[in-house]
Amino acid sequence: MTAMGERRPMVRATMRAVAVLLTGAGVVALAGCVVGPGAPKGGPTPASFLEREQLPSCGTVELTQGEEIPTADIACLEEATSAGAELAVTRPTVEGDPVTEYYRVLPGGGWEIYTDMTRDAYGEGWWLNDCPDALSMTQLGECTSTRL
């Protein structure tokens, strides 16, 4: 009986240690679920976007998940004359948050793309991609990306 009585406290202690370890692992596993992106960041529109040169508009496109920019809208940009052109495209992220890109064919040559991610919970505000050697939407060449 003493042998049996001595083993039970050891079994209980071992079971408690396992329970503590499992509880700790559960807390660590759940910690990743609790931490999220938070609300969309919003924020002011950068002055460089508001004060950009006005260009002839190719319109505004609202895309659904997986939808591509219509070829007529791409053609409008790629056929821009020396006056340049701009197309605003809003598409959802994987999570469904809207991101708007402003594709701009510049009068002196090259493209620039302003990206507004302020309504995206994972987004990082506004960005500008400057692509001075761009020939088309699929041939942007080397671009410089700047957070605004």
Side-chain angles (χ1 to χ4, degrees):
M1 190 143 187
T2 38
M4 189 73 149
E6 289 173 10
R7 274 199 266 166
R8 283 189 186 227
M10 185 177 270
V11 169
R12 282 190 205 126
T14 303
M15 289 176 69
R16 264 189 239 126
V18 168
V20 167
L21 286 173
L22 289 176
T23 302
V27 169
V28 170
L30 289 176
C33 296
V34 175
V35 177
K41 289 150 187 73
T45 303
S48 61
F49 177 78
L50 295 173
E51 297 166 1
R52 74 194 186 282
E53 179 183 354
Q54 293 300 306
L55 300 174
S57 177
C58 287
T60 300
V61 178
E62 297 270 339
L63 302 175
T64 59
Q65 201 65 260
E67 192 176 15
E68 296 294 324
I69 301 171
T71 54
D73 293 307
I74 294 172
C76 176
L77 284 176
E78 293 181 349
E79 294 168 1
T81 63
S82 60
E86 179 173 305
L87 173 67
V89 178
T90 301
R91 68 181 90 219
T93 63
V94 172
E95 299 81 19
D97 295 333
V99 171
T100 302
E101 295 172 303
Y102 299 85
Y103 295 92
R104 295 170 47 85
V105 177
L106 303 176
W111 287 46
E112 62 185 17
I113 305 161
Y114 283 92
T115 305
D116 173 7
M117 294 184 277
T118 58
R119 296 180 295 160
D120 176 8
Y122 291 94
E124 296 183 23
W126 282 80
W127 287 84
L128 171 61
N129 286 306
D130 183 26
C131 310
D133 301 321
L135 301 174
S136 69
M137 190 174 279
T138 57
Q139 295 177 323
L140 293 174
E142 293 288 321
C143 298
T144 302
S145 185
T146 306
R147 186 170 184 184
L148 303 177

